[in-house]
Amino acid sequence: RAGLRRHRAAAIATAIAVGVGVALSCGLQQRLLQAGGLLREASEAIASLPALLVLPLLLSCAIALLAAAWLSVSLYIASAGRVERGVLHADERLQWLFLLHSLGSLWAMEVLFHWAFCATAGLIVRWYFGAPSLAEGGGGGALLRASCRTLRYSAGSLAIGSLLVLPGRPLRFLLEHCLHQAQTDGSGKPELRGVAHCCLRCCLDVATRHLQYMSHNAYVLVAVHDVGFCEGARQAFELTLS
């Protein structure tokens, strides 16, 4: 009887596992097929437009130049002030100027990221819907035209979209700084600090990634239908809900 019970329990567990596996395979089959189709189209796009591989390098160079400009201006601001008896007295108004300069640099960096995404989306859309001439010369001319078209017609959309994502980075830095100070402080319970750290970081990550997801989908619609960012965000939100 004991052996029969063990065999019966094993059969029930096997049936449950097989049922769960079948349910998961049926539910994920459509998504796996979509992912496979996306990977196939992406490989064909890269094969037809190899100039797309140059865009991350150009973006890295632009961000490096922006960081160098931020550093040089920050050094000028930090060294400005009155020198009395060998001591530099900085002007308090320059601290606000440094803050505005840092926020502007972060905004410009986000604009660069979103410009690259929107230009890539516009080029891929025009290639996908049948423009074989784009692949001539590796797609370098097409990439340049897509980048110029994005800056000419979608500069406002890039500015608004990057401005929506911008508050997440300073908030993350401030949160990490506060949590680090709380961890170095000996008072309080470390378990509660750890739980609060995880909860706050999770909430901030969810909000930031949701905004990035919505802005990226909005840029795709901006590139496809030549609409504004607000209209593209509305359509992207409706597509997400549907």
Side-chain angles (χ1 to χ4, degrees):
R1 290 183 179 181
L4 181 61
R5 290 178 180 177
R6 285 195 297 269
H7 287 299
R8 184 179 299 176
I12 293 175
T14 304
I16 292 175
V18 171
V20 172
V22 171
L24 290 176
S25 62
C26 293
L28 296 177
Q29 182 179 5
Q30 187 65 25
R31 293 187 178 274
L32 291 176
L33 291 176
Q34 291 177 356
L38 289 175
L39 290 176
R40 184 177 64 253
E41 294 296 338
S43 62
E44 292 179 1
I46 293 297
S48 301
L49 303 170
L52 288 174
L53 299 176
V54 184
L55 189 59
L57 180 61
L58 296 177
L59 183 61
S60 301
C61 294
I63 292 175
L65 291 176
L66 180 63
W70 173 82
L71 181 60
S72 61
V73 175
S74 299
L75 290 177
Y76 275 116
I77 294 175
S79 60
R82 296 177 293 102
V83 179
E84 295 180 358
R85 296 180 181 180
V87 179
L88 178 63
H89 297 277
D91 192 351
E92 294 182 357
R93 292 174 296 181
L94 294 179
Q95 297 179 1
W96 292 103
L97 180 60
F98 173 75
L99 179 60
L100 292 176
H101 170 62
S102 300
L103 291 177
S105 299
L106 286 176
W107 192 5
M109 185 182 66
E110 291 292 340
V111 169
L112 287 175
F113 281 122
H114 292 196
W115 161 76
F117 184 88
C118 192
T120 304
L123 181 59
I124 293 298
V125 164
R126 285 169 175 79
W127 168 83
Y128 183 79
F129 287 103
S133 61
L134 294 178
E136 296 179 356
L143 179 61
L144 180 61
R145 290 192 297 271
S147 302
C148 296
R149 189 185 305 111
T150 302
L151 291 176
R152 181 178 180 182
Y153 296 106
S154 303
S157 299
L158 296 177
I160 294 176
S162 58
L163 185 61
L164 291 177
V165 184
L166 179 63
R169 299 188 184 276
L171 286 177
R172 177 186 294 274
F173 176 78
L174 181 62
L175 176 63
E176 294 290 342
H177 177 70
C178 294
L179 292 174
H180 178 72
Q181 293 295 328
Q183 289 178 356
T184 55
D185 188 7
S187 61
K189 296 182 179 180
E191 295 82 4
L192 295 180
R193 289 199 301 266
V195 172
H197 185 190
C198 293
C199 292
L200 291 175
R201 177 178 290 178
C202 180
C203 293
L204 188 59
D205 287 341
V206 169
T208 303
R209 291 181 181 181
H210 181 71
L211 287 176
Q212 289 178 349
Y213 175 77
M214 293 298 297
S215 62
H216 289 174
N217 288 345
Y219 286 137
V220 172
L221 292 172
V222 166
V224 173
H225 300 292
D226 292 330
V227 296
F229 180 81
C230 295
E231 179 65 21
R234 185 188 66 81
Q235 295 180 11
F237 184 74
E238 292 178 353
L239 288 175
T240 304
L241 291 180
S242 62

